[in-house]
Amino acid sequence: MPRGRPPSHTREQVVDAAIRIADAEGLAALTMRRIAQDIGAGAMSLYTYVPDKDRLLDLMVDRVGGELVLPAATGDWRTDLIAVAGAQRKLMLAHPWLPAAIPNRRLTGRNMLAYLEKGLAALAPTGLDGPTKMEIVALMTGFVASFVTAETTPATPQEDQVALIGEAVASGEFPELAAVLAEGGQGREPGFDRIADWTLTGLVTQALAF
């Protein structure tokens, strides 16, 4: 019995094209038509390789997850968690669309499961129960995504911020803010390692206290 023509492309080619587009132009530019143009295919033919855009995003997230360089565990949960968070931040900075793509994804691919495994292994010395460890890993991912989004989003020009805040403080309606600014509260850069340490240590310490 004769068979139909073999597919002209592969799922891997479709996913790679989608990642290229998202890296260069963001998720808003990612459409089946745009991907089809990139690989020289008909838009409807892409559904041969992926059933819908949600599944495509799952595959994209897992594909770039293979680039995640996860450090060897030291056995110190605090050191290891911060290292995993740092590796995740590096990946998100390389693919700035990731923070927006990750929420509510079906992270069942082997690369993302390897990340989950590493996060859970970092928490193993704490003795926390499984559901709590899963929650902490999820919260860690959310923290990193939020931090990277702030890093990669164009900010209001510094001089405009200073002028607007200065005007508000001068009104006398914000005494606590005025006190913080008097101590140099705007002068420190939001260092990732420091804030990650506060966040993750606080989460684990609080969980252990329950």
Side-chain angles (χ1 to χ4, degrees):
M1 187 173 181
R3 296 181 179 179
R5 283 190 308 174
S8 302
H9 301 87
T10 65
R11 173 180 283 186
E12 288 70 25
Q13 288 174 316
V14 172
V15 174
D16 287 344
I19 292 169
R20 282 196 303 273
I21 294 165
D23 283 349
E25 304 172 39
L27 285 181
L30 189 65
T31 64
M32 291 302 197
R33 185 177 298 279
R34 179 71 179 79
I35 297 166
Q37 290 173 349
D38 189 89
I39 65 174
M44 295 306 296
S45 72
L46 297 190
Y47 294 99
T48 304
Y49 312 101
V50 289
D52 51 45
K53 190 174 177 180
D54 270 350
R55 180 57 180 150
L56 175 61
L57 285 169
D58 291 342
L59 295 169
M60 291 168 62
V61 169
D62 195 65
R63 175 67 60 81
V64 300
E67 302 169 19
L68 197 61
V69 179
L70 296 167
T74 67
D76 179 87
W77 64 261
R78 185 176 173 184
T79 299
D80 291 342
L81 270 187
I82 294 169
V84 171
Q88 195 176 43
R89 175 187 177 226
K90 185 176 180 180
L91 180 68
M92 290 186 187
L93 287 171
H95 302 283
W97 51 270
L98 262 178
I102 285 179
N104 301 317
R105 292 263 66 79
R106 292 167 290 188
L107 304 181
T108 55
R110 297 187 71 84
N111 290 325
M112 295 312 297
L113 290 177
Y115 159 73
L116 176 59
E117 177 71 14
K118 203 74 174 182
L120 294 174
L123 285 164
T126 66
L128 290 168
D129 61 71
T132 302
K133 287 190 287 188
M134 290 288 282
E135 288 171 344
I136 290 174
V137 172
L139 288 167
M140 175 172 66
T141 298
F143 160 73
V144 176
S146 178
F147 195 96
V148 170
T149 297
E151 286 184 288
T152 56
T153 300
T156 304
Q158 184 73 17
E159 58 273 16
D160 291 349
Q161 291 187 51
V162 170
L164 291 169
I165 293 172
E167 182 181 339
V169 168
S171 71
E173 297 177 45
F174 307 99
E176 294 298 330
L177 177 58
V180 167
L181 293 179
E183 295 175 10
Q186 272 191 306
R188 188 162 66 181
E189 288 296 314
F192 177 81
D193 286 348
R194 184 182 73 252
I195 297 174
D197 191 3
W198 291 346
T199 303
L200 297 173
T201 300
L203 282 172
V204 174
T205 303
Q206 192 66 20
L208 287 169
F210 274 92

